[in-house]
């Protein structure tokens, strides 16, 4: 989104009328003839037809009654949903009426659709709910839209050869799931997912401190379950920050999405553990809620001389949410991120995202940003935006390397697959997919030795960077 990619909202558009030219008399003394003005053509009427979101395998068909959305490939097509047509706000139609764009918020990239001359033949026949069709739709969706086969070291044709003969229409759902898991297993990508409703399969390998925690777990015998060990150690780390580093009160909001306080007398601390509050509410509503919390954060920390922003536990969310935080550090308009789609057909157009300063409480003093190998997706977009700001220094571990928005593809049986189809660039045009965003200053962020001593190696490195080692916890 993921950016739950995120990135899963419906097309929302606003009805607008075009004005008709009024006829005039010819200026003579004769009585002017009556001319009936041509009827106004509405935006809704201009948008009638078929439109493709290129690079995303998505088609919308707009009629007088509704908007039908399809996911399609060269070989398969599936109707996703049908919405009534009652609002076209946010739509910008090109002068030649061959493309239109819409933007959910100024903090998001625009979505562009291109007019198709005809409805694709493949979409005239609904995709039947059979194991063979489900397999075909998954394989062709990845084949045409996934951006990083070479970068992730995946031989997709070899995966096809290894799995295609295992699929038949008499197989059970459990057997189909086993084949699809085998098909997707080579992807070391956080944004490749298979969801059945009861189960979620993600083939990505753990990175950074999560891999470290797994190693620690395997070396001990006191706690039997891995998830319990991880929760126990994260809890211990959280207590060290709250009790050992933060002086005075510790404030949290958004179900602990935001946690903040002051280290010593002069260093502000802001931890953000997600770039979204939930998966149900509209992103613009969640951004509004985040803005109100950020007003409180930056008012409380305004007196500090520097700040630590901690996204080590941030697994992502939605880019507009992340950009709402990042612009609180902007002193002037800046290019922060660019992106384009990279598919089997062609690369899509490059889109730039600029952030402007906000008139709400902001922070323009030195900032240390701490990341880890768990920092993923929208948290990486946030990292790119922060690195475009001169007063921010990035330290800690290299991020996860899953920057593309999640592209979700529902399946006829109610399952869903997700994939990556976008290349993200920083303000200097550099790519970090698969390799992660390396910090300017490498520092361990979650070592067992420091936790045992009541220390946080990541915070210690940030405090030293900011010139205030007086805030380092005394430890045990």
């Amino acid at each position: 989104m993921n950016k739950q990619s995120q990135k899963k909202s419906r097309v929302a558009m606003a009805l607008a009328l075009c004005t008709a030219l009024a006829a005039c008399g010819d200026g003579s003394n004769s009585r002017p003839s009556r001319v009936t003005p041509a009827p106004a053509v509405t935006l809704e009427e201009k948008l009638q037809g078929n439109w493709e979101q290129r690079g995303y395998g998505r088609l919308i068909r707009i009629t007088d009654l509704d908007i039908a959305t399809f996911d399609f490939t060269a070989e398969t097509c599936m109707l996703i949903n049908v919405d009534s047509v009652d609002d076209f706000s946010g739509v910008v139609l090109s002068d030649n009426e061959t493309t239109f764009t819409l933007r959910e918020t100024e903090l998001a990239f625009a979505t562009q659709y291109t007019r198709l001359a005809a409805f694709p033949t493949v979409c005239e026949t609904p995709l039947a709910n059979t194991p063979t069709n489900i397999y075909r739709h998954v394989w062709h969706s990845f084949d045409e839209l996934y951006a990083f086969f070479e970068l992730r070291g995946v031989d997709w044709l070899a995966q096809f050869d290894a799995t295609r003969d295992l699929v038949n229409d008499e197989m059970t759902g459990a057997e189909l799931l086993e084949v699809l898991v085998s098909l997707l297993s080579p992807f070391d990508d956080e944004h490749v997912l298979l969801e059945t409703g009861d189960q979620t399969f993600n083939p990505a390998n753990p990175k950074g401190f999560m891999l470290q925690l797994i190693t620690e777990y395997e070396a001990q015998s006191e706690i039997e379950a891995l998830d319990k060990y991880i929760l126990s150690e994260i809890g211990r780390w959280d207590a060290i920050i709250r009790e050992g580093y933060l002086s005075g009160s510790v404030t949290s909001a958004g179900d602990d999405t935001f946690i903040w306080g002051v280290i010593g007398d002069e260093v502000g601390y802001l931890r953000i553990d997600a770039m979204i509050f939930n998966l149900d509410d509209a992103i613009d509503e969640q951004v509004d809620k985040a803005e109100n919390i950020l007003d409180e954060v930056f008012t409380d920390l305004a007196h500090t001389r520097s700040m630590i922003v901690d996204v080590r536990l941030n697994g992502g969310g939605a880019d507009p949410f992340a950009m709402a935080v990042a612009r609180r550090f902007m002193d002037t308009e800046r290019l922060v991120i660019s992106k384009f789609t990279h598919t089997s057909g062609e690369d899509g157009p490059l889109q730039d995202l600029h952030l402007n300063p906000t008139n709400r409480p902001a922070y323009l003093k030195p900032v240390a940003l701490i990341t880890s190998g768990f920092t993923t997706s929208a948290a990486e977009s946030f990292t790119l935006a922060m690195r475009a700001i001169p007063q921010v220094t990035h330290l800690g571990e290299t991020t996860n390397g899953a920057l593309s928005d999640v592209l979700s593809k529902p399946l006829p049986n109610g399952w869903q697959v997700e994939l990556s189809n976008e290349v993200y660039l920083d303000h200097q045009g550099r790519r970090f997919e698969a390799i992660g965003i390396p910090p300017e200053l490498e520092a361990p962020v979650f070592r067992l030795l420091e936790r045992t001593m009541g220390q946080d190696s990541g915070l210690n490195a940030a405090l030293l960077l900011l010139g205030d080692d007086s805030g380092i916890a005394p430890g045990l």
Side-chain angles (χ1 to χ4, degrees):
M1 138 142 303
N2 94 3
K3 294 176 181 185
Q4 296 296 332
S5 67
Q6 27 262 84
K7 330 245 324 350
K8 298 180 182 177
S9 60
R10 300 184 310 178
V11 175
M13 306 177 243
L15 187 62
L17 294 176
C18 295
T19 56
L21 296 176
C24 311
D26 62 5
S28 67
N29 292 328
S30 62
R31 185 175 180 176
S33 60
R34 293 181 178 272
V35 177
T36 303
V41 179
T42 67
L43 180 58
E44 178 183 2
E45 292 170 327
K46 292 181 178 181
L47 291 173
Q48 302 286 303
N50 306 301
W51 302 84
E52 178 186 1
Q53 187 185 8
R54 292 181 176 169
Y56 297 83
R58 188 145 294 153
L59 164 74
I60 60 174
R61 187 175 200 177
I62 302 176
T63 67
D64 289 330
L65 300 177
D66 54 43
I67 300 176
T69 302
F70 300 81
D71 278 341
F72 76 109
T73 70
E75 302 292 333
T76 61
C77 184
M78 178 179 169
L79 175 64
I80 304 303
N81 58 49
V82 179
D83 297 319
S84 61
V85 180
D86 55 9
D87 190 22
F88 282 89
S89 62
V91 169
V92 178
L93 183 64
S94 64
D95 291 340
N96 61 8
E97 301 182 7
T98 60
T99 64
F100 74 81
T101 59
L102 59 95
R103 189 187 299 271
E104 290 181 278
T105 164
E106 63 176 339
L107 300 173
F109 287 99
T111 301
Q112 179 171 294
Y113 286 86
T114 302
R115 190 185 294 276
L116 293 178
F119 190 64
T121 303
V122 70
C123 290
E124 293 176 354
T125 304
L127 187 67
N129 180 13
T130 66
T132 302
N133 280 332
I134 291 169
Y135 176 88
R136 290 175 59 236
H137 194 54
V138 170
W139 193 86
H140 284 289
S141 293
F142 273 80
D143 186 56
E144 295 179 20
L145 300 172
Y146 188 75
F148 308 112
F149 287 118
E150 183 175 353
L151 198 58
R152 298 286 185 182
V154 178
D155 187 336
W156 193 232
L157 286 176
Q159 287 302 104
F160 178 65
D161 290 339
T163 57
R164 62 180 172 179
D165 293 335
L166 302 177
V167 182
N168 62 75
D169 287 344
E170 283 67 50
M171 69 194 315
T172 66
E175 291 170 334
L176 175 61
L177 176 60
E178 185 177 349
V179 173
L180 293 179
V181 166
S182 177
L183 178 68
L184 301 177
S185 289
F187 291 94
D188 183 13
D189 185 342
E190 289 287 346
H191 286 162
V192 170
L193 294 172
L194 172 61
E195 299 175 331
T196 68
D198 297 324
Q199 302 178 60
T200 298
F201 171 68
N202 172 226
N205 297 316
K207 299 176 178 64
F209 80 77
M210 291 302 295
L211 180 59
Q212 177 181 312
L213 285 175
I214 293 172
T215 303
E216 293 173 12
Y217 163 76
E218 293 171 345
Q220 58 87 51
S221 58
E222 296 179 3
I223 301 178
E224 294 184 0
L226 174 60
D227 58 344
K228 290 184 178 179
Y229 180 82
I230 291 175
L231 289 175
S232 173
E233 288 304 302
I234 289 177
R236 175 159 66 152
W237 170 76
D238 180 71
I240 289 171
I241 293 176
R242 292 173 185 260
E243 300 168 13
Y245 285 84
L246 297 178
S247 57
S249 63
V250 179
T251 309
S252 64
D255 294 328
D256 282 349
T257 300
F258 293 92
I259 300 168
W260 69 95
V262 178
I263 300 175
D265 295 324
E266 297 185 317
V267 180
Y269 175 77
L270 170 60
R271 192 169 104 208
I272 311 169
D273 286 351
M275 295 301 179
I276 198 169
F277 294 120
N278 59 68
L279 300 179
D280 299 321
D281 296 336
I283 293 302
D284 57 349
E285 295 175 3
Q286 298 196 52
V287 169
D288 288 343
K289 179 180 177 181
E291 294 279 24
N292 292 330
I293 294 172
L294 291 169
D295 288 347
E296 186 178 353
V297 170
F298 287 97
T299 299
D300 287 351
L301 301 182
H303 69 283
T304 60
R305 68 171 184 82
S306 59
M307 185 186 297
I308 296 170
V309 179
D310 189 346
V311 291
R312 284 177 285 180
L313 284 185
N314 198 312
D319 280 352
F321 190 110
M323 296 305 105
V325 182
R327 70 173 174 179
R328 296 292 178 125
F329 300 93
M330 291 287 170
D331 61 341
T332 188
E333 179 184 342
R334 296 183 187 279
L335 169 67
V336 294
I337 306 172
S338 301
K339 75 173 182 179
F340 62 92
T341 56
H342 178 61
T343 65
S344 63
E346 60 181 1
D347 289 349
L350 184 68
Q351 297 187 68
D352 294 331
L353 183 63
H354 292 78
L355 287 185
N356 289 293
T358 176
N359 57 7
R360 305 176 80 142
Y363 199 90
L364 304 181
K365 304 168 191 177
V367 174
L369 172 68
I370 314 177
T371 64
S372 75
F374 189 77
T375 306
T376 310
S377 194
E380 293 183 278
S381 299
F382 174 73
T383 300
L384 292 184
M386 293 292 282
R387 286 167 60 100
I389 304 171
Q391 76 266 22
V392 176
T393 302
H394 175 200
L395 64 108
E397 288 181 345
T398 297
T399 65
N400 185 283
L403 291 92
S404 170
D405 287 346
V406 172
L407 180 59
S408 299
K409 295 292 177 181
L411 301 174
N413 63 349
W415 296 358
Q416 178 170 279
V417 292
E418 298 179 348
L419 57 92
S420 307
N421 68 318
E422 298 172 332
V423 179
Y424 269 62
L425 311 174
D426 73 357
H427 65 290
Q428 296 179 326
R430 295 174 296 185
R431 309 180 185 191
F432 299 100
E433 190 75 26
I435 62 174
I437 308 167
E440 299 165 79
L441 175 63
E442 290 187 8
V445 298
F446 212 73
R447 290 195 300 199
L448 178 59
L449 177 62
E450 278 84 359
R451 275 179 276 137
T452 303
M453 297 171 58
Q455 295 283 330
D456 182 324
S457 50
L459 279 187
N460 291 349
L463 289 166
L464 289 172
L465 172 71
L466 296 171
D468 193 344
D469 58 2
S470 64
I472 294 177
L476 300 177

